[in-house]
């Protein structure tokens, strides 16, 4: 029982930190309030789950810092009827938040262990509109294309051609772009009747987008 006021205060601090860093969309904030980041951080780093910092997860990957998750989700402008593709399931945190904002999320990762563990958490939250798959994210998911929105949570040198091709006209993709050993730029791509429009949003740092499947 003594945990409840502490948990409420922690959640309030968490949401306040998101707002301070520019996450202002009410739907995004509500989704991030409902999805407890603590469920996605295990082991040594559990006590840091509510800090605005990236943390290590298995397979050499990371769970992004909450403010970056919020800003990327906000930039994606997800609508309730949208079909969304996420490249890089990781912990499953980003997909869980997206699932509260759209009709269906397809999320892919090259590491089977990450997909399996994320699926367990999705079941725990009762998120039945997420399909998680082991696949090479650099190729997208052509059998389910086109998508209204695409979220890429790994850095590519350029917005990947196969993913651009799987975006609907009028659709939006958010992707970190840049060399893997340097700070990258978060880009928002809008597909128009005449091609693609690009906006630079902010500097970020993500693991690189790697072709092929992982060993685990």
């Amino acid at each position: 029982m003594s945990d409840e006021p502490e948990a409420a205060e922690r959640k309030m601090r968490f949401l306040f930190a998101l707002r301070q860093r520019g996450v202002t969309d009410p739907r995004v904030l509500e989704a991030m309030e409902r999805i407890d980041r603590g469920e996605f951080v295990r082991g040594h780093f559990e006590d840091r789950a509510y800090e605005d910092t990236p943390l290590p997860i298995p397979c050499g990957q990371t769970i992004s810092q909450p403010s970056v998750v919020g800003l990327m989700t906000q930039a994606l402008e997800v609508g309730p009827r949208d079909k969304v593709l996420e490249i890089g399931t990781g912990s499953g945190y980003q997909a869980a938040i997206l699932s509260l904002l759209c009709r269906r999320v397809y999320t892919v990762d090259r590491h089977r262990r990450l997909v399996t563990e994320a699926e367990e958490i999705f079941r725990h939250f009762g998120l039945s509109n997420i399909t998680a798959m082991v696949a090479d994210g650099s190729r997208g998911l052509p059998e389910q294309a086109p998508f209204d929105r695409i979220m890429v949570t790994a850095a590519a040198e350029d917005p990947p051609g196969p993913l651009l091709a799987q975006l609907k006209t009028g659709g939006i993709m958010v992707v970190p772009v840049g060399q893997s050993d340097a700070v990258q730029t978060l880009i928002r791509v809008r597909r128009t009747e005449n091609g693609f429009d690009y906006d630079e949003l902010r500097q970020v740092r993500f693991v690189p987008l790697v072709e092929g499947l992982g060993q685990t």
Side-chain angles (χ1 to χ4, degrees):
M1 139 141 182
S2 62
D3 272 358
E4 286 183 21
E6 188 182 324
E9 187 184 336
R10 184 179 64 202
K11 186 171 284 187
M12 204 162 60
R13 284 199 307 267
F14 181 76
L15 293 170
F16 179 70
L18 290 174
R19 286 192 191 94
Q20 272 194 315
R21 289 167 174 83
V23 183
T24 55
D25 185 307
R27 292 179 68 234
V28 175
L29 287 167
E30 183 185 351
M32 295 188 74
E33 182 176 5
R34 286 176 57 190
I35 299 295
D36 182 358
R37 189 176 188 241
E39 298 287 340
F40 298 85
V41 180
R42 308 278 170 82
H44 299 307
F45 296 96
E46 279 181 32
D47 59 342
R48 301 186 62 191
Y50 304 100
E51 295 178 18
D52 191 38
T53 187
L55 294 169
I57 60 172
C59 305
Q61 306 300 297
T62 57
I63 178 172
S64 296
Q65 67 193 84
S67 62
V68 170
V69 171
L71 290 166
M72 288 179 73
T73 305
Q74 188 169 272
L76 204 61
E77 299 176 16
V78 181
R81 301 301 304 158
D82 285 347
K83 180 169 74 168
V84 180
L85 172 63
E86 181 198 27
I87 304 300
T89 308
S91 68
Y93 181 57
Q94 176 72 80
I97 289 163
L98 289 168
S99 76
L100 299 185
L101 301 170
C102 69
R103 178 169 57 87
R104 175 152 292 279
V105 178
Y106 290 87
T107 180
V108 302
D109 202 287
R110 61 194 296 270
H111 297 286
R112 183 171 301 280
R113 175 182 174 182
L114 295 180
V115 170
T116 302
E117 291 181 1
E119 284 179 316
E120 286 176 18
I121 304 176
F122 300 153
R123 281 192 291 272
H124 167 74
F125 278 113
L127 302 174
S128 57
N129 64 335
I130 303 176
T131 301
M133 308 169 73
V134 181
D136 177 353
S138 67
R139 299 175 184 276
L141 208 56
E143 61 272 25
Q144 294 296 339
F147 295 94
D148 301 289
R149 300 288 186 268
I150 299 177
M151 169 82 79
V152 186
T153 60
E157 289 192 22
D158 297 292
L163 301 184
L164 292 172
Q166 291 169 35
L167 193 60
K168 270 186 188 173
T169 300
I172 296 173
M173 176 164 71
V174 172
V175 53
V177 171
Q179 300 290 346
S180 59
D181 57 350
V183 173
Q184 304 120 8
T185 303
L186 192 62
I187 303 284
R188 176 167 53 200
V189 185
R190 295 179 190 268
R191 184 165 197 169
T192 69
E193 297 283 355
N194 303 315
F196 298 95
D197 291 339
Y198 298 86
D199 294 316
E200 292 190 3
L201 302 178
R202 55 168 287 158
Q203 299 298 298
V204 289
R205 187 180 289 276
F206 277 85
V207 296
L209 180 65
V210 178
E211 292 185 8
L213 299 182
Q215 299 301 307
T216 54

